[in-house]
């Protein structure tokens, strides 16, 4: 495993991190979480990400339980706040009240004394940004979080937050967590540059485009049974990828990866990690073998001619816009 600094901080995170954007709750799912976390440690992964909104706290409980056998200083743990956690009018957003209450709730569910990185899961247009940033700064002063961060914030929002933090002498944001993969590249336009200027590292999610960039889905064919694409209850996001032109491009990328002697998933992760502004790429896994396979992506160095070939292949779907 290789490690990178989180933005301008001194914190080092593994280039591949293990996310938990999955529904946990049954004993079998907890066993899968335990096994994947154990394999992650074997592979040198030290970064684990979750969110309070993942199955209304069950995701945090699962990852907290899976991490319990390990020394707290050996791993970096992140979670998030923003989405509704109850039916009350204040059970959502980035108000001081919701941030403070949810931080305490997350600490209890995770079974830990502190959160390494606390992400604002989305931007809150109904709360003054200064209120949000002061709350995060106070949590840092209390030692309940070590670094504050944001997720899917626009370039303008990051610039605004950076300016307020500087003016008020608050601790600066450490990271942004955007979606980033071969098909969804919006951060390349402005977010990467303003984040660099403000000292934020990118912790990217969905680097394999909901599993599309594993090659399991084929053009002109039904999604394989048992996959997310075949499950109508969870395929709302992935459905927009299941177009023949997109899957045709995936097939070409798969052929390119085979010619390089690597898996398509490893090629896709190496492509994401080519960006110096990316601190870590978060993978999702239900089997230890997936963790091990994806972790090997850090060994791949893509040559300029390979990157040019990838760009020419991706140009065929340059207008791709996923449903959100």
């Amino acid at each position: 495993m290789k490690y990178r600094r989180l933005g301008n901080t001194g914190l080092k995170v593994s280039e591949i991190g293990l996310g938990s954007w999955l529904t946990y709750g049954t004993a079998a799912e907890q066993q899968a979480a335990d096994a994947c976390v154990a394999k992650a440690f074997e592979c040198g992964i030290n970064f684990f990400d979750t969110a309070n909104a993942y199955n209304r706290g069950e995701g945090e409980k699962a990852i907290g339980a899976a991490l319990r056998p390990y020394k707290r200083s050996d791993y970096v743990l992140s979670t998030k706040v923003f989405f509704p956690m109850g039916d009350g009018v204040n059970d959502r957003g980035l108000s001081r009240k919701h941030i403070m209450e949810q931080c305490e709730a997350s600490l209890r569910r995770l079974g830990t004394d502190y959160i390494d990185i606390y992400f604002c899961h989305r931007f809150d247009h109904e709360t003054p940004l200064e209120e949000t940033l002061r709350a995060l700064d106070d949590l840092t002063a209390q030692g309940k979080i070590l670094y504050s961060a944001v997720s899917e914030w626009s370039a303008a929002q990051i610039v605004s937050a950076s300016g307020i933090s500087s003016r008020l002498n608050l601790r600066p944001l450490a990271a942004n967590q955007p979606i980033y993969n071969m098909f969804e590249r919006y951060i390349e336009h402005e977010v990467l540059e303003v984040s660099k200027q403000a000292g934020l590292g990118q912790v990217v999610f969905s680097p394999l485009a909901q599993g599309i960039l594993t090659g399991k889905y084929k053009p002109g064919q039904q999604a394989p049974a048992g996959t997310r694409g075949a499950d109508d209850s969870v395929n709302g996001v992935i459905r927009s990828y299941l177009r023949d032109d997109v899957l045709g491009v995936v097939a070409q990328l798969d052929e390119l990866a085979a010619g390089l002697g690597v898996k398509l998933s490893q090629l896709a992760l190496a492509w994401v990690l080519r960006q110096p502004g990316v601190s870590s790429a978060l993978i999702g896994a239900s089997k230890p073998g997936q963790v091990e396979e994806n972790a090997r992506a850090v060994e791949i160095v893509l040559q300029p001619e390979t990157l040019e070939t990838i760009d020419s292949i991706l140009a065929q779907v340059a207008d791709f816009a996923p449903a959100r």
Side-chain angles (χ1 to χ4, degrees), residues 210-212 214-232 234-235 238 242 247 287:
Q210 299 286 307
I212 292 293
T214 62
K216 69 179 72 172
Y217 303 100
K218 309 295 184 183
Q221 299 180 18
Q222 292 289 327
T227 64
R228 187 178 302 174
D231 186 347
D232 288 338
V234 296
N235 70 1
I238 198 174
L242 299 178
L247 295 180
K287 300 176 182 177

Side-chain angles (χ1 to χ4, degrees), residues 37-55:
V37 166
K39 179 58 68 174
F41 273 96
E42 287 180 24
C43 295
I45 291 172
N46 76 339
F47 184 22
F48 301 87
D49 176 80
T50 187
N52 63 346
Y54 295 166
N55 200 22

Side-chain angles (χ1 to χ4, degrees), residues 133-149:
L133 295 173
R134 283 189 182 276
L136 295 171
D137 193 68
D138 287 345
L139 285 174
T140 309
Q142 294 167 14
K144 294 177 180 178
I145 67 174
L146 304 188
Y147 301 93
S148 57

Side-chain angles (χ1 to χ4, degrees), residues 52 81-86 90-103 118:
N52 63 346
V81 59
F82 172 78
F83 287 111
M85 290 298 290
N90 289 310
D91 292 337
R92 66 203 67 205
L94 297 178
S95 68
R96 182 180 183 86
K97 176 177 173 62
H98 189 60
I99 288 174
M100 293 296 186
E101 291 173 348
Q102 282 306 306
C103 182
Y118 201 35

